[in-house]
Amino acid sequence: MPFYPFSYLFSTFALTMTQQESPIQSLMRQKTLLQIEYYTEKETFRKQTESMGIARKVKRGDAWFPIRTGKSFYNSLNQSTLEIYRTNDEGIEHNFEFGRSLAFFEVKSDGTIHYFNFTCTVSYVEGDRMVIIIPDRNNILDVQAHTNPVGVQLFFDESSYKLMFDGLDRVIKAKGNRLAYLRDLFYSKAHPEKFAFAPTKFPWLNSSQEKAVNEVLWAKDVEIVHGPPGTGKTTTLVEAINETLMRENQVMVCAQSNMAVDWICEKLVDRGINVLRIGNPTKVNDKMLSFTFERRFEAHPDYPQLWAIRKAIRELRGHRKSHDENYHQKIDHLKARAAEIEIHINAELFNEARVIASTLVGSANRILEGQKFGTLFIDEAAQALEAACWIPIRKATRVIFAGDHCQLPPTVKSLAALKAGLGKTLMERIVENKPEAVTLLKTQYRMNEDIMRFSSDYFYHGEVETAPQIKYRGILDYDDPIVWINTSEIETEPDEPDFKEQFVGEKFGRINRGEAELTLQKLEEYCKKIGKQRILEEKIDVGIISPYRAQVQYLRKLLHKKEFFKPYQKLISVNTVDGFQGQERDIILISMVRANDNGQIGFLRDLRRMNVAITRARMKLIILGNAETMTKHPFYKQLWDYIQKVDNKE
């Protein structure tokens, strides 16, 4: 990848912005912004690696140290793998998942850190056990031979960027084919084409869900299913996929994250649809693993023969005689036979599967080379960078997007690239250019009406309504479903933590210890009102959300210390807003953290993030925050006023 200085990148960007952009120019600008993001993330990673100690990396969930090595073996794809185990800090949530790059390191007796000269890839993680794909068998011996304590940490992922750059290059260069057609269509105001046939009735769906499924079936080019919180987007998407499979032999389903892919796959499998999952799932259990390519490959009746041939090749290489004239002939014969069996197994697995599922970047997997699909479904499309979406689109005739651009956006590290438009997704672009291709799901089944109403009015023009059966759902009689506890009105004793925010670093953000303690105090009071027996019998679950990682970690620490919450440990989860995307709980508490005199709220200005936070609760939402600070922003002023009206039954 050529290096371009920032001055060149920004001058290129400025030039294109002064002109009316063609689709190709717009995509070239996307590539420029992606380059800025790439260099920013790479430089940030380098600085963090050099300056950050092992203990902090472990605390952040980016490293395991020390580790214990287990067995090594060749997986079904003939890759060298090594089993490792975490031996300390088992309670810390980590960030390792399938496909992520990592590096081994050793800590020498003088305390210096030495990195091994190879990088690896996570195959899968289960608890404190991780299986790692290692490039060469000798590298495994290098790790096992060291007497110094060894650890493993996340490494900068070059491969995802390379695939995104390649995806952009391919769509930029496309001429006279379907990819070129979709590119020009998506970047214009032209109306997408539709089929014309009678609508199908789905009595088990509501009217907007039924309309969305029919619009998917009618679409020749593109359709968007816009699913606000709790409106049954996944249910609708599964139905659309099932109906499409009545007309097509096979479809492809992608999403930005492994977790999102796993979720839609699980629902499809429950529906009885044969799914072939490319890449390992994040939830490692038998149900999830059973539809992965690797597990299906190993279960094929011809696999033992293939394994025996591969073993024979390895043994032949290991015991080669210096004057064996037949060596190359034997190797070539075995390789040809192995390739023949592998092609046969792959063909059968792909022919049997109705749905091929992977992450967007994972769709570039070599085993998918040459595969074409009539329809591509992209779930959680509002969280995916445009460049990532183009990777699977080149394999498809038409594209169905599903998501909500009023919730979490893609993660962009470079502020410059973000401001210049890298965070704008392909789904957003199509929503703007082709409103006729968008169907809004309008009935939500998650939240009490009072919890949902503000989000509906502010983000969805008041079009989202609550299903009658859950409109007044609640836990306690005569309870306020949504409350805001204003910390600016609470006085503290000299020996108590105050309610002021503290900055603890760029990565972890801010912390408000007084607010954290108050959060758990209010939760304890509410749990006592409900009663221990009822909570445990009905499995009333709780989510504690904070926008800042430092606050999340402090809340977790406090939670583990408090004896009162020990019986409820499995029912209470603490995470960032991003960590709660796609989830819901009976009770949600939100610790806002920000408390200062000048109304600075940082990235809480990203209102989409707050939309996610306030729409996770089914029956009770408790917001804790400094109203004087927060209400200097018009959104939070409106939210505060709304809650006061609800609580006063106006």
Side-chain angles (χ1 to χ4, degrees), residues 247-266:
R247 298 157 173 80
E248 300 175 21
N249 184 56
Q250 193 176 71
V251 301
M252 188 173 199
V253 176
C254 292
Q256 171 67 14
S257 68
N258 278 294
M259 190 170 291
V261 178
D262 293 346
W263 179 250
I264 188 71
C265 281
E266 195 165 357

Side-chain angles (χ1 to χ4, degrees), residues 437-613:
V438 182
T439 303
L440 177 70
L441 303 181
K442 296 182 178 182
T443 304
Q444 69 90 18
Y445 300 88
R446 176 186 298 164
M447 294 159 275
N448 178 289
E449 165 73 12
D450 288 342
I451 298 174
M452 181 278 293
R453 179 49 47 200
F454 179 82
S455 175
S456 176
D457 290 345
Y458 194 94
F459 293 99
Y460 308 104
H461 311 290
E463 291 188 67
V464 179
E465 301 291 339
T466 305
Q469 62 268 34
I470 58 99
K471 194 168 186 174
Y472 303 108
R473 70 188 321 180
I475 299 174
L476 299 172
D477 294 333
Y478 311 108
D479 193 15
D480 292 320
I482 179 170
V483 295
W484 184 324
I485 298 169
N486 182 11
T487 57
S488 66
E489 296 177 345
I490 302 174
E491 295 183 3
T492 57
E493 299 295 330
D495 59 338
E496 294 177 337
D498 60 26
F499 294 102
K500 290 294 183 183
E501 64 181 74
Q502 291 177 287
F503 181 73
V504 293
E506 290 293 339
K507 187 71 178 178
F508 285 82
R510 286 167 166 78
I511 192 171
N512 189 323
R513 291 181 173 83
E515 190 174 285
E517 294 191 10
L518 181 65
T519 300
L520 295 188
Q521 179 190 320
K522 293 299 177 182
L523 176 58
E524 183 176 338
E525 291 173 3
Y526 198 69
C527 287
K528 286 177 178 176
K529 287 182 181 178
I530 302 169
K532 179 180 177 180
Q533 186 176 349
R534 186 182 168 200
I535 292 173
L536 296 177
E537 285 180 357
E538 297 180 17
K539 296 182 179 177
I540 297 172
D541 51 4
V542 180
I544 304 174
I545 301 176
S546 181
Y548 295 98
R549 289 185 66 181
Q551 188 79 343
V552 167
Q553 291 193 357
Y554 188 65
L555 281 161
R556 285 174 180 165
K557 184 179 174 182
L558 288 178
L559 190 67
H560 287 131
K561 283 183 179 179
K562 284 189 174 286
E563 193 68 29
F564 175 85
F565 294 111
K566 290 224 178 331
Y568 313 124
Q569 289 285 355
K570 292 183 178 179
L571 295 170
I572 302 174
S573 48
V574 187
N575 217 325
T576 60
V577 181
D578 298 56
F580 270 99
Q581 172 75 356
Q583 299 186 44
E584 58 188 77
R585 298 289 188 275
D586 294 320
I587 305 165
I588 289 286
L589 298 94
I590 305 173
S591 172
M592 305 288 264
V593 176
R594 302 308 298 260
N596 53 70
D597 296 329
N598 50 11
Q600 294 295 318
I601 61 172
F603 76 102
L604 289 182
R605 291 191 302 269
D606 185 346
L607 307 183
R608 292 173 296 181
R609 181 166 269 102
M610 193 48 54
N611 186 32
V612 172

Side-chain angles (χ1 to χ4, degrees), residues 161-171 364 391 394:
Y161 278 102
K162 287 178 179 177
L163 291 170
M164 285 192 286
F165 283 120
D166 179 64
L168 286 174
D169 285 338
R170 288 180 185 238
V171 73
I391 298 171
R394 67 175 185 254

Side-chain angles (χ1 to χ4, degrees), residues 1 7 34 62 70 72 92 137 146 159 164 167 189 218 236 302 314 348 355 363 425 444 509 569 597 620 625 637:
M1 188 184 304
S7 59
L34 191 63
D62 294 341
S72 61
I92 296 177
R137 191 76 184 168
H146 278 77
S159 60
M164 285 192 286
K189 299 286 186 181
W218 290 329
T236 307
D302 292 344
R314 290 193 290 270
E348 285 204 353
V355 172
S363 67
T425 65
Q444 69 90 18
Q569 289 285 355
D597 296 329
K620 182 71 174 182
K637 177 67 166 65

Side-chain angles (χ1 to χ4, degrees), residues 382 405 410 423-433 608:
H405 51 286
K424 186 172 184 176
T425 65
L426 187 57
M427 176 176 161
E428 281 183 273
R429 192 179 304 283
I430 298 168
V431 168
E432 288 180 6
N433 288 337
R608 292 173 296 181

